[in-house]
Amino acid sequence: MIFMCQNNQYGEHTAIARSMRVATVAERAAAYGIPAMRLDGNDAVAMWAGVGVAVNRARTGGGPTLIDALTYRFHGHILGEDLAYQPADERDAAKAADPVPAYRARLIGEFGVNAIELADIDRRVAAEVEEAFTLALAGPEPDISSLHTDVVAEVAL
Protein backbone atom coordinates (compact mmCIF):
# COMPACT_ATOMS: atom_id res chain seq x y z
CA MET A 1 0.00 0.00 0.00
CA ILE A 2 1.21 3.50 -0.80
CA PHE A 3 -0.02 6.45 1.19
CA MET A 4 0.32 9.59 -0.92
CA CYS A 5 0.13 12.97 0.78
CA GLN A 6 -0.28 15.72 -1.80
CA ASN A 7 1.23 18.19 0.62
CA ASN A 8 0.13 21.65 -0.46
CA GLN A 9 1.48 23.06 2.82
CA TYR A 10 -1.92 24.09 4.14
CA GLY A 11 -4.72 22.36 5.99
CA GLU A 12 -7.77 24.34 4.97
CA HIS A 13 -6.73 27.86 6.05
CA THR A 14 -3.77 27.02 8.27
CA ALA A 15 -0.13 26.52 7.32
CA ILE A 16 0.89 23.01 8.35
CA ALA A 17 3.91 24.46 10.14
CA ARG A 18 1.42 25.94 12.63
CA SER A 19 -0.51 22.71 13.13
CA MET A 20 2.12 19.95 13.40
CA ARG A 21 4.78 19.30 16.03
CA VAL A 22 7.02 17.63 13.45
CA ALA A 23 8.66 19.47 10.57
CA THR A 24 7.35 17.21 7.78
CA VAL A 25 4.42 14.91 7.12
CA ALA A 26 6.95 12.18 6.25
CA GLU A 27 8.16 12.15 9.86
CA ARG A 28 4.73 10.97 11.01
CA ALA A 29 5.22 7.59 9.33
CA ALA A 30 7.89 6.58 11.85
CA ALA A 31 5.25 6.37 14.60
CA TYR A 32 3.65 3.55 12.62
CA GLY A 33 6.87 1.85 11.55
CA ILE A 34 6.26 2.82 7.94
CA PRO A 35 9.08 3.92 5.63
CA ALA A 36 8.54 7.38 4.22
CA MET A 37 10.05 9.72 1.71
CA ARG A 38 9.63 13.40 1.07
CA LEU A 39 9.60 14.26 -2.62
CA ASP A 40 9.35 17.37 -4.72
CA GLY A 41 5.74 16.91 -5.80
CA ASN A 42 6.29 19.47 -8.55
CA ASP A 43 9.03 17.40 -10.20
CA ALA A 44 7.44 14.70 -12.36
CA VAL A 45 10.72 12.81 -12.77
CA ALA A 46 11.44 12.79 -9.01
CA MET A 47 7.88 11.63 -8.35
CA TRP A 48 8.16 8.87 -10.96
CA ALA A 49 11.40 7.60 -9.40
CA GLY A 50 10.13 7.82 -5.81
CA VAL A 51 6.80 6.20 -6.54
CA GLY A 52 8.69 3.46 -8.40
CA VAL A 53 10.64 2.67 -5.22
CA ALA A 54 7.41 2.57 -3.18
CA VAL A 55 5.63 0.40 -5.76
CA ASN A 56 8.56 -2.02 -5.84
CA ARG A 57 8.56 -2.22 -2.02
CA ALA A 58 4.82 -2.94 -1.98
CA ARG A 59 4.94 -5.52 -4.78
CA THR A 60 7.84 -7.44 -3.23
CA GLY A 61 6.22 -7.70 0.18
CA GLY A 62 8.22 -4.91 1.78
CA GLY A 63 5.13 -3.23 3.16
CA PRO A 64 3.65 0.22 2.87
CA THR A 65 5.27 3.58 2.14
CA LEU A 66 4.19 7.12 2.92
CA ILE A 67 5.11 9.64 0.24
CA ASP A 68 5.07 13.28 1.32
CA ALA A 69 4.85 15.03 -2.07
CA LEU A 70 5.55 18.71 -1.46
CA THR A 71 3.61 21.02 -3.77
CA TYR A 72 1.58 24.23 -3.55
CA ARG A 73 -2.09 25.09 -3.85
CA PHE A 74 -2.81 28.12 -6.04
CA HIS A 75 -6.53 28.18 -5.28
CA GLY A 76 -8.49 28.09 -2.07
CA HIS A 77 -10.61 25.36 -0.59
CA ILE A 78 -13.78 27.27 -1.37
CA LEU A 79 -14.87 29.20 -4.47
CA GLY A 80 -14.04 32.89 -4.26
CA GLU A 81 -11.63 32.54 -1.37
CA ASP A 82 -9.16 35.45 -1.15
CA LEU A 83 -6.20 33.36 0.13
CA ALA A 84 -5.40 36.04 2.72
CA TYR A 85 -3.77 33.35 4.90
CA GLN A 86 -1.10 32.72 2.25
CA PRO A 87 1.72 35.28 2.21
CA ALA A 88 1.73 37.01 -1.19
CA ASP A 89 5.48 36.53 -1.67
CA GLU A 90 5.12 32.79 -0.95
CA ARG A 91 2.29 32.48 -3.49
CA ASP A 92 4.21 34.54 -6.08
CA ALA A 93 7.30 32.33 -5.67
CA ALA A 94 5.18 29.21 -6.08
CA LYS A 95 3.57 30.61 -9.24
CA ALA A 96 7.00 31.51 -10.64
CA ALA A 97 8.04 27.88 -10.06
CA ASP A 98 4.80 26.47 -11.55
CA PRO A 99 5.59 22.82 -12.34
CA VAL A 100 3.67 22.70 -15.62
CA PRO A 101 5.78 25.19 -17.61
CA ALA A 102 8.90 24.00 -15.76
CA TYR A 103 8.31 20.40 -16.85
CA ARG A 104 7.45 21.50 -20.38
CA ALA A 105 10.80 23.30 -20.56
CA ARG A 106 12.53 20.22 -19.15
CA LEU A 107 10.88 17.96 -21.73
CA ILE A 108 12.18 20.21 -24.49
CA GLY A 109 15.62 21.00 -23.09
CA GLU A 110 16.60 17.80 -21.31
CA PHE A 111 14.62 15.11 -23.09
CA GLY A 112 14.59 16.57 -26.61
CA VAL A 113 10.81 16.65 -27.02
CA ASN A 114 9.68 18.86 -29.88
CA ALA A 115 7.69 21.97 -28.87
CA ILE A 116 5.39 21.48 -31.87
CA GLU A 117 4.63 17.93 -30.69
CA LEU A 118 3.77 19.28 -27.22
CA ALA A 119 1.46 21.88 -28.76
CA ASP A 120 -0.27 19.10 -30.70
CA ILE A 121 -0.70 17.08 -27.50
CA ASP A 122 -2.17 20.19 -25.83
CA ARG A 123 -4.68 20.60 -28.67
CA ARG A 124 -5.71 16.93 -28.61
CA VAL A 125 -6.14 16.88 -24.83
CA ALA A 126 -8.15 20.13 -24.89
CA ALA A 127 -10.41 18.63 -27.55
CA GLU A 128 -10.90 15.43 -25.52
CA VAL A 129 -11.74 17.41 -22.40
CA GLU A 130 -14.19 19.60 -24.31
CA GLU A 131 -15.83 16.53 -25.84
CA ALA A 132 -16.16 14.84 -22.43
CA PHE A 133 -17.54 18.04 -20.90
CA THR A 134 -20.10 18.42 -23.68
CA LEU A 135 -21.10 14.76 -23.36
CA ALA A 136 -21.48 15.05 -19.59
CA LEU A 137 -23.67 18.15 -19.86
CA ALA A 138 -25.84 16.54 -22.52
CA GLY A 139 -26.33 13.34 -20.53
CA PRO A 140 -29.22 12.65 -18.21
CA GLU A 141 -29.05 13.44 -14.52
CA PRO A 142 -28.32 10.32 -12.47
CA ASP A 143 -31.34 8.65 -10.94
CA ILE A 144 -31.76 9.27 -7.22
CA SER A 145 -31.73 5.50 -6.68
CA SER A 146 -27.99 5.51 -7.48
CA LEU A 147 -27.23 7.78 -4.51
CA HIS A 148 -26.02 4.91 -2.36
CA THR A 149 -24.35 2.89 -5.12
CA ASP A 150 -20.77 1.91 -4.20
CA VAL A 151 -21.08 3.34 -0.69
CA VAL A 152 -18.57 1.56 1.51
CA ALA A 153 -20.38 2.06 4.81
CA GLU A 154 -23.68 3.41 6.00
CA VAL A 155 -23.57 5.90 8.86
CA ALA A 156 -26.49 5.97 11.25
CA LEU A 157 -27.42 9.49 12.22
Side-chain angles (χ1 to χ4, degrees):
M1 178 176 295
I2 300 170
F3 299 97
M4 178 71 68
C5 174
Q6 182 182 345
N7 185 349
N8 62 39
Q9 305 175 59
Y10 286 86
E12 293 258 352
H13 302 90
T14 305
I16 62 168
R18 296 184 62 206
S19 63
M20 292 191 327
R21 299 275 300 180
V22 293
T24 71
V25 170
E27 291 177 56
R28 291 179 162 201
Y32 301 96
I34 297 174
M37 60 182 84
R38 190 169 208 212
L39 300 173
D40 180 350
N42 290 343
D43 182 338
V45 175
M47 287 296 298
W48 180 80
V51 169
V53 169
V55 166
N56 185 55
R57 178 182 292 122
R59 287 181 177 162
T60 59
T65 303
L66 169 68
I67 297 176
D68 181 9
L70 195 61
T71 188
Y72 200 81
R73 180 172 37 83
F74 297 125
H75 303 284
H77 282 91
I78 56 175
L79 186 62
E81 186 176 327
D82 66 3
L83 300 173
Y85 55 88
Q86 288 182 339
D89 59 336
E90 176 186 276
R91 193 169 47 255
D92 291 344
K95 286 181 180 178
D98 186 329
V100 174
Y103 189 61
R104 182 181 213 87
R106 189 172 181 188
L107 285 171
I108 293 167
E110 189 175 326
F111 296 105
V113 177
N114 185 309
I116 295 169
E117 184 179 357
L118 290 175
D120 184 53
I121 291 169
D122 288 343
R123 280 190 295 279
R124 286 184 291 156
V125 168
E128 285 180 31
V129 169
E130 182 63 31
E131 180 182 348
F133 184 71
T134 301
L135 184 64
L137 288 178
E141 291 287 327
D143 188 271
I144 191 71
S145 65
S146 69
L147 182 63
H148 295 285
T149 301
D150 299 322
V151 174
V152 176
E154 293 289 332
V155 178
L157 297 176

